[in-house]
Amino acid sequence: MATRVVKIYRGTIDLGCFLYTDMARRHTNNPKRRIAPQGELNEAQKEKLCETLRYVGSALHKRNPGNYGFHPPINPRPHKSLCDDMRLILLEEAQSLFEAGIKKGMVSTYRQDGVPKYVWSVDEFGEVYESKIGIDGFHGYRLNDDNESLMRSIVLSEWASR
């Protein structure tokens, strides 16, 4: 007898003929998360973005406060992805990753007033991070292979080709 897979919000349950898997994976085709084609931004545009955009982080995506200076130091939400769930990432490294993403042109095609909604980068360990514009600057989080595998693979492929 074939097992039927039914997705529910969280948890895994095997009932013999039904296998309830954990949280449903995101398989969206969100146009705001499309990576700009290579060469869409020239060097002057990338430099201007590096000068004008700021990575500030968010306590909502932190387990370890590091040197971000948030008040309160951490405020993780259960539904938010953490940027430091694998290791501590200090502000200088996060800002460096953010700038590396801009310099590679790993920005979203969706922009408001020339400011991309997303910037993607990959660290030295091959972990993918997504930065998103917030109220006072960009904040970021790691794209987890469990629920963001498609976007993670797209970013890794684009990062390697640029």
Side-chain angles (χ1 to χ4, degrees):
M1 175 194 306
T3 299
R4 183 173 170 209
V5 176
V6 179
K7 291 183 177 178
I8 59 176
Y9 180 67
R10 287 189 189 264
T12 301
I13 304 169
D14 186 356
L15 299 175
C17 61
F18 292 99
L19 177 65
Y20 292 89
T21 63
D22 58 357
M23 184 168 57
R25 292 174 173 236
R26 283 174 52 173
H27 293 288
T28 62
N29 187 17
N30 184 349
K32 292 178 182 176
R33 290 179 85 200
R34 291 193 181 128
I35 301 171
Q38 187 172 6
E40 184 172 295
L41 297 176
N42 62 36
E43 293 304 316
Q45 291 170 317
K46 292 176 191 175
E47 197 61 41
K48 184 172 181 173
L49 288 177
C50 286
E51 291 172 4
T52 56
L53 301 182
R54 290 184 332 132
Y55 180 85
V56 295
S58 168
L60 299 176
H61 296 279
K62 298 285 181 283
R63 180 179 299 152
N64 301 300
N67 61 349
Y68 288 82
F70 296 131
H71 298 285
I74 59 169
N75 193 17
R77 302 285 165 90
H79 63 283
K80 298 282 187 186
S81 300
L82 297 172
C83 69
D84 57 358
D85 60 339
M86 294 187 72
R87 64 182 180 92
L88 175 65
I89 298 176
L90 297 178
L91 181 59
E92 294 80 16
E93 181 183 0
Q95 289 172 335
S96 177
L97 285 167
F98 178 71
E99 192 172 306
I102 292 172
K103 287 181 178 175
K104 281 201 173 229
M106 297 287 290
V107 299
S108 62
T109 55
Y110 180 81
R111 299 183 186 110
Q112 288 184 320
D113 299 325
V115 176
K117 185 171 180 80
Y118 295 97
V119 176
W120 294 273
S121 58
V122 178
D123 72 5
E124 62 184 298
F125 305 106
E127 292 301 323
V128 176
Y129 297 91
E130 181 176 86
S131 300
K132 185 177 179 182
I133 188 77
I135 294 172
D136 55 349
F138 280 81
H139 65 275
Y141 39 85
R142 191 173 68 84
L143 292 184
N144 191 327
D145 199 27
D146 294 337
N147 59 6
E148 290 281 355
S149 63
L150 179 61
M151 190 64 194
R152 179 182 159 81
S153 65
I154 291 170
V155 172
L156 283 170
S157 174
E158 281 292 320
W159 187 268
S161 69
R162 295 179 183 209

